[in-house]
Amino acid sequence: MLLPGFYDFCCRVRIVSGQNALEKIPAMLKKMKAHTPLIVTDKGVVGAGLVDVVRAAVAGELKLSNVYDNVPVDSDYKIVDEAAKIYRQKNCDSIIAIGGGSVIDTAKGANIVASLGGDTLLDYEGFSAVKRKLNPLVVIPTTAGTGSEMTLVAVIADPDRKIKMLFVSYFVLPDLAVLDPRMTKTLPDFLTASTAMDAMTHACEAYYCLEKNPLSDSFALRAIRIVSENLLKVIKNPADMEGRLALANASTMAGASFSNSMVGLVHNLGHTIGAICHVPHGTAMSILLPYGLEYNMHRCGEVIGEILLPLAGSEVYAKTKKEERPGKVVEFIRKMNNYLHEATGGRHPRYLKEIVDKNGAQVVTESLLPAIAEATMQDGARMANPEEFLPPDAMLVLEHAWEGKPLDLGKVNKGGKKIKY
Amino acid sequence: MDASYNYEFLAHPKIISGKCSLENIPAELAGYDAQKPLVIARKSIVQQEGITKKFVRAFADSMVVLGAVYDEVENYAGISKAREAAFLFTERGCDSLIALGSGAAVDLAKAVNVLVSEKADNLSAFYEGKAIDDILKPLLFIPAGRTNGRESSNTMIIDNREIKSDFLYPEVIVIDPRMTSVCRSDDVAESAAIAFAQSFAVFAAKKHNPMTAAVAHPALSYLSQCLEQGLKRPKNKSTSIALTNASVVASIAYDNTRPGTTNLLAEELARATDLSVGVVTGMLLPSVIELMGKKEFPVSDELLLAIGGLDVYAAVAPQDRARKGLETALKLARVLLSFLPASLKELNVQKYIFNEVARTVAQKCDDIFSENDFAEILEAAWGRRREY
Amino acid sequence: MNINKYPQIRPGKKLFKRVYVAIMLWTVGKAIQVAAKVDKEVKEELARLPNNFTLRMMVAPEKAFPLFFYAKTLPAFVVDKGLLFYGIQMLLHKDKEGKIKYLGADPKGKKVDLNIVFKNIEAAWLVLSFQESTATAYMHDRFVVEGDLVHSLTFVRVLDIVEVFLLPKIIAKLAVKRYPKWSEMSPLRKFVKRVVIYIRAYTF
């Protein structure tokens, strides 16, 4: 395993995983001296009955009567302030976040305001404004994909200034992440597919991007292996609780991996397409992942080739020659996407042109591609990509990903040596 | 993969490793609103020429002032020294702690931290089971020299009594090549033996949780890549930093797994004979692995993945992986042996204590190992001959 | 116990590195100001920044060792007083018309929109002596960004282009991710701009 010249790693989140993990929450909260938690969640989670599942699991030991369920899909600082206000009104001493990325980010933000005082999150803008331990924050992810429970950043929008504020601090990290398959049981198959592929993308990108380090590598390898072993099983049999727990674990491990190793091109394009065309994050990730691997292949092919072992299993890995492995990785992920496309009845798109909205209209039209390519310069993920990624390069990748044909490797701009991590 | 998903896991410390990582300390301290650390250092480290100078130089051009460098600690951490250092801490108005070195220095730093944060005069209440329930001052740990595998964990041993609390984790571990390359060969061998045993304990069971395995993987991997080199040239920066990484990571993984056979046995034997734990661990490891191979005890196939690497792992058939994993582990453990005494006999260990030790360990250990197995391991380590 | 046995230690200063970094920052600032005037690509990149925008690049900690004596005695053309009072830094300002101007090293009374802070002098040294490329330095957390991250990306891109202009290929290759091919940047353009930027940066 390679030791980079410099790295830092931190994932100080206590993880509790298991079929009965929810039942352990009261004891854990007590250890952190918290008794009246505020639940932060969204309407969808409440509608799916997941809050009731948590309530039933902790019944008798903990009363979960304080619920804030107004978190929208794109949360902003006003929501955070509102949540913090309710936290104070109800005299809460901790937060339990139940939901996906947006809910978790909101809860992180609300925890900053509620613990440090003040009325608005805007007071804590800027790097390392948070310098002290915050109140206990428990996260129960319901999507098994975002990995936000392991990241030390809270991304919260400011609609007035039209910017996304980043709150980065080790104190923003949750204290406890609870992985329980009951939370993802009701997820429909196409969402299971796209969120699991999201986790897979996190892990793959963490493995080849510039900030890779031994621990993130090790987490990434295992996350890839778990997803590739369990995803198809769970799609076939949605009641496979062990498989769902494994996927939740993979998502968390991928989260630990990419929050310490950063992500590259795939996320760069994915964020941009998400911002311009409102494509769900997981969908964009699964479509773009093979292209990200192809684009960087000439800079770090060896490292990409290593992904083949957890992805396809040892037999395929041993049979494939070293120089053919990167190509095989890409091929395998495409095959996986194809399979998911069929298994979900076409609801898991394989190319950008296949993405449709509720009415069946195409979401990413070909005319939008230049605008997307130009906007990739505005996303932080371009820094961690091994190869330089400029608008013309983005256009090249986008055109191929839109059509659904493999990237023409001859057209990729090459001008650097192999990456030294 | 045989992973069990019912588990709890915590890896608290942040790890910073590599070129110029010492220079990051002021920024890290600023993250805790601290700028006057008390440095608690191991005497033999600070006495080496140029180490203090290099260390202080790393803080140049920052706002950090070093409250003092307290270096009265070598192998034993006791309450009187902790009190002395705590007095120094309050007298100078420090707000954080840096432990330079390893072993007792870190234990002492943890003790000082409890004394000053809890405003206690002694630790007796905590021995009796009073919980440390408040957030302590930030503690940074800079590994240098021989480790005892406890530094990065949540335990401290003061006056030979153990205290455990999640607040005792060091906040940041700074692995800098300027500090790790001060060892001698025997230091490297002992630290490596402990790291090896700790990470081996993670895989020496059929089921393990994926998180601990992920953390222990780099440890075994670095040991297999760098151990031989590191033993021959302990001052080499790139191998020493890899081996230190292995030690740190292994102890974090070990914190999250049940106690390993080798570690328990070595600790018990070291207590009975007054030998150093590292030496004993290194001598027992090959015997433990041999016995596990002979009796076909279950081992995770990821042992081979971690030690051999991806290519070796893929080349071996799935049913042979556990056996092959033990074989490679044994080979690695034998490398260590060449820098340690050949057998327990050479160290004048008396045979009559073996039964006692085996019985105590068998009571502590809920593993598949029986009392006879432990006795057999000890016998094997006693009568081993050096292979030339 | 005798606490005087364990003296308090005030770590010293790294004078050479400070001077080197200060000179490099000054050069970078001046060079960007000139490049924004003479090169189309740099101009286009900088157009992404909003108008009336101030950017600061500095080495932490601020006001570490203020040198009041020298600041009072030395005339302004010898040394920028901001350097002596506030530590090593440089400010770039984009005014209402979109013109880029190097503002020296005195942040007093200026509203800084984007603050790029090297964590320590050693980090700045590694980057500005081209031992680590900008991207690597970002990955190694050698600097942190206060303000909108998006604008820092623009700045890093500009920095990359300017480095290609200013440095010989063998050094610039260490500093950027991908050295531009002939089709992306012709050698003639590169050479002419190099001369022009150097002359104008060091003259006025």
Side-chain angles (χ1 to χ4, degrees), chain B residues 23-217:
Chain B
E23 273 82 357
N24 276 323
I25 294 177
E28 289 300 323
L29 286 175
Y32 293 94
D33 246 349
Q35 52 178 339
K36 194 168 184 187
L38 175 74
V39 182
I40 295 182
R42 194 179 173 127
K43 191 152 205 158
S44 57
I45 301 287
V46 192
Q47 276 173 347
Q48 291 196 30
E49 214 191 309
I51 289 295
T52 322
K53 207 175 150 196
K54 274 187 211 163
F55 179 73
V56 173
R57 186 91 184 126
F59 293 88
D61 253 14
S62 73
M63 303 292 259
V64 169
V65 178
L66 302 176
V69 178
Y70 182 82
D71 60 355
E72 290 299 321
V73 53
E74 184 56 47
N75 283 325
Y76 182 82
I79 185 70
S80 61
K81 287 201 171 140
R83 243 182 243 141
E84 232 176 70
F87 177 70
L88 203 55
F89 187 97
T90 36
E91 202 65 9
R92 290 274 158 78
C94 298
D95 49 16
S96 50
L97 282 150
I98 295 179
L100 170 66
S102 43
V106 187
D107 283 333
L108 193 74
K110 286 174 181 172
V112 173
N113 203 355
V114 174
L115 291 182
V116 295
S117 308
E118 300 265 322
K119 300 205 168 49
D121 184 46
N122 57 47
L123 295 168
S124 51
F126 301 104
Y127 293 132
E128 250 101 77
K130 184 184 168 211
I132 300 170
D133 55 2
D134 209 15
I135 292 151
L136 306 179
K137 302 264 188 277
L139 165 64
L140 277 69
F141 163 44
I142 304 166
R146 176 190 309 183
T147 70
N148 62 5
R150 248 188 347 261
E151 293 90 351
S152 327
S153 77
N154 57 356
T155 51
M156 65 172 175
I157 293 187
I158 294 291
D159 287 329
N160 289 330
R161 294 178 76 179
E162 190 182 275
I163 296 178
K164 225 178 172 68
S165 162
D166 279 348
F167 295 109
L168 285 178
Y169 278 113
E171 290 288 327
V172 186
I173 300 174
V174 184
I175 309 173
D176 191 290
R178 281 167 286 179
M179 295 293 130
T180 56
S181 56
V182 299
C183 294
R184 294 189 313 268
S185 283
D186 53 333
D187 296 334
V188 176
E190 287 186 33
S191 318
I194 292 174
F196 192 0
Q198 284 180 332
S199 41
F200 183 75
V202 173
F203 295 106
K206 191 141 179 64
K207 291 220 169 209
H208 54 74
N209 80 56
M211 297 276 173
T212 16
V215 177
H217 180 143

Side-chain angles (χ1 to χ4, degrees), chain A residues 3 7 214-215, chain B residues 15 17 143 147 149 152 175 191-192 194-199 215-227 239-254:
Chain A
L3 181 65
Y7 81 85
L215 287 160
Chain B
I15 301 174
S17 151
T147 70
S152 327
I175 309 173
S191 318
I194 292 174
F196 192 0
Q198 284 180 332
S199 41
V215 177
H217 180 143
L220 280 176
S221 171
Y222 289 144
L223 281 172
S224 81
Q225 281 171 16
C226 304
L227 187 56
T239 50
S240 76
I241 193 169
L243 289 174
T244 311
N245 260 294
S247 294
V248 166
V249 166
S251 68
I252 292 176
Y254 186 67

Side-chain angles (χ1 to χ4, degrees), chain B residues 293-359:
Chain B
K294 202 168 74 186
K295 298 214 164 173
E296 293 187 350
F297 282 163
V299 176
S300 162
D301 61 350
E302 281 188 43
L303 181 65
L304 181 62
L305 178 69
I307 299 183
L310 304 178
D311 288 305
V312 176
Y313 177 80
V316 176
Q319 64 275 12
D320 295 336
R321 278 183 194 146
R323 189 179 49 77
K324 187 84 185 160
L326 281 176
E327 272 172 27
T328 45
L330 184 59
K331 217 184 268 169
L332 191 56
R334 289 225 171 101
V335 173
L336 268 179
L337 268 188
S338 51
F339 283 83
L340 294 169
S343 64
L344 292 176
K345 195 167 147 193
E346 265 181 30
L347 289 168
N348 294 327
V349 177
Q350 299 302 314
K351 253 179 153 182
Y352 67 87
I353 59 167
F354 285 178
N355 283 337
E356 180 61 33
V357 169
R359 190 165 56 243

